[in-house]
Every structure is written in C-alpha cells, then in structure tokens.
Amino acid sequence: MQSQRNIMSSLFLGGLLCIGLIAMGALLAEGMLKFRGMDRSVVVKGLSEREVPANVAIWPIRFTEVGNALPELYATLDDKSARIVHFLRQHGFSVDEISVSQPSLVDRQAQGFNEATVNQGRYTGAMTVTVYSHKIDKVRTAMGEISQLGQSGIAMTGQDYGNQTQFLFTDLNRLKPEMIAEATQNAREVASKFAQDSQSRLGKIRHASQGQFSITDRDSNTPYIKKVRIVSTIEYYLGD
C-alpha cells in the first residue's frame, strides 16, 4: 500500500513538473516571438531646408601704390585710405563698421626684382580697408559703385583667395529647434509609409542621429542668400 502511494506521489509530482515545463516553454516561445518582433526596425532619413538672407558681410577693399620715397608713399597710402573711408561713410556705414589695416610695404630692390621693375618704383605699399556690417543691402550697393574709387585714381586689387567678400549667416540657433522638429517629422512620415507598405506597425524610436547643420550659398551668383540644411537619421522599431 505504501509502495502504491509512493508511486502515485511520484506520478503526481512528475505530472506537475511536465505541466510546469510545458508552461515555461510556452512563455519562452512567446517571449522569443516578442523579442524578434521588437528587433525588427527601419532606418530612415528626415530632411529640413531653409533659404535665409545673410546677416553679416565682411568686405575687404585692398589697394596698392608704388613709389621711390617712403615718406611720400606713406602719405599717399594714408590719403587714399581716408578717401575710401569717406566713400564708405557716404554709403551709410558707421566708423565702428570700418577698420583700416597697417601699411604692408615691399622693397623691390631688396627682394631681388630686376632693374626695370625697380625703376618703376622701388617700394610697393598695400593697405586694406574692411567693412564688417549687418547692412547687407548697403554693402551690395556700395560694391556696385566701387568703380568710383578706381576712377579717382585708387588702384584696387582683385578679390583673390585671401581677399574675398564674405556673406555669413550667424543666426542658426534661432532656426535649430524648428528645423530639427521638421526633419524628425519628415523621417516619421517616411517610416510610417514604409510600415504601411510592409503591413507592419510603427513603434518607438530605437536610435536617432540629429546630423549636422550645413550652411552654403544658394548659388554662385547670390552668396548673400544662404541655404541651411539638416539631415536626421532615425531608426524606428517595427511591430506586427
């Protein structure tokens, strides 16, 4: 009798153990399915662009002179830089917006130039008058009338690599929140369309990379109009 009871107890415990193992297996299987479902994802990019006017202009006006006597050359450079400043003041720029560099002088004879070149003038002097202003329209107007200075005898140099007018946009922080939100919304719309086409459910964000803002000229003819751009990369979970 005792033996039968032991057998029945063992069978009962074994049955409970089997039921527990089966239940555990079902739970693990369900968990694995959920995990695999959550592991599905889609990576999309969201774009936001703006065209904005530049708000800062840096305009260097560089001119050169040649002479054989240093005192006369210095006097000529000072006179012509003053005339350029006067021209700029007439076009609406304040004293605080105008800076004048120190003269840059070269002794052609000491530099080993040939005799014919030295005879045209032993010394060359250059100065740069720079406008730093938020008055973009005034800068553009004055640039269009700069030939008046040439007609008055001021030999201005061309805009080489280190002497170019720059138009800048420095108010990016004002645009950042709105553009980031727009890029994120654009990415979500793309992801939603993908989820719909693949008969999936769009889940939460798995990973996001804001990307970097870029500011470029709209084109080579309008450097005073800037294109601000950001591309965000976002990964979303996909569910069944």
Side-chain angles (χ1 to χ4, degrees):
M1 180 66 99
Q2 183 66 34
S3 176
Q4 288 181 348
R5 288 179 181 176
N6 291 338
I7 292 173
M8 291 298 294
S9 297
S10 299
L11 290 173
F12 179 73
L13 292 174
L16 291 177
L17 181 60
C18 288
I19 293 171
L21 290 173
I22 292 171
M24 184 180 296
L27 290 173
L28 286 173
E30 183 181 357
M32 287 296 294
L33 287 174
K34 288 183 178 179
F35 175 78
R36 289 176 181 175
M38 289 301 289
D39 194 47
R40 292 172 55 204
S41 63
V42 59
V43 178
V44 293
K45 293 185 181 296
L47 171 67
S48 179
E49 288 184 325
R50 295 283 190 282
E51 282 190 2
V52 295
N55 65 333
V56 172
I58 304 174
W59 177 26
I61 306 171
R62 187 174 178 82
F63 66 97
T64 60
E65 289 296 324
V66 178
N68 287 310
L70 283 177
E72 293 178 3
L73 183 58
Y74 272 109
T76 301
L77 291 171
D78 288 341
D79 173 67
K80 293 190 174 181
S81 65
R83 286 158 58 187
I84 293 174
V85 171
H86 178 70
F87 167 84
L88 295 172
R89 296 281 284 139
Q90 284 185 318
H91 281 76
F93 299 105
S94 67
V95 173
D96 293 337
E97 296 173 299
I98 303 169
S99 61
V100 181
S101 72
Q102 293 295 319
S104 173
L105 298 176
V106 174
D107 184 343
R108 292 176 168 181
Q109 182 173 302
Q111 292 292 325
F113 283 79
N114 59 53
E115 186 176 350
T117 301
V118 173
N119 288 337
Q120 294 173 3
R122 176 175 173 177
Y123 302 102
T124 60
M127 291 184 71
T128 303
V129 179
T130 303
V131 176
Y132 184 99
S133 176
H134 296 279
K135 303 169 184 172
I136 305 300
D137 291 339
K138 290 185 181 296
V139 170
R140 293 178 57 206
T141 298
M143 289 179 69
E145 299 176 3
I146 194 70
S147 60
Q148 296 175 10
L149 294 173
Q151 293 170 3
S152 69
I154 299 178
M156 290 168 293
T157 61
Q159 294 203 358
D160 54 26
Y161 178 76
N163 194 42
Q164 293 182 334
T165 301
Q166 300 179 62
F167 291 97
L168 310 175
F169 178 70
T170 62
D171 201 16
L172 180 59
N173 286 336
R174 177 176 59 84
L175 299 180
K176 276 185 175 181
E178 181 181 346
M179 291 187 67
I180 291 172
E182 184 178 74
T184 302
Q185 178 61 32
N186 179 255
R188 186 169 185 83
E189 290 173 359
V190 174
S192 296
K193 183 64 168 62
F194 179 88
Q196 180 182 352
D197 292 345
S198 62
Q199 298 182 347
S200 302
R201 176 179 54 81
L202 189 66
K204 296 181 179 180
I205 292 176
R206 180 179 186 181
H207 180 266
S209 174
Q210 175 185 301
Q212 292 186 342
F213 281 87
S214 64
I215 303 175
T216 58
D217 296 344
R218 184 180 68 179
D219 55 67
S220 58
N221 296 318
T222 56
Y224 46 87
I225 299 177
K226 302 297 181 181
K227 178 180 287 187
V228 183
R229 190 172 190 267
I230 183 175
V231 177
S232 295
T233 302
I234 303 178
E235 183 178 5
Y236 289 92
Y237 284 110
L238 290 177
D240 296 328

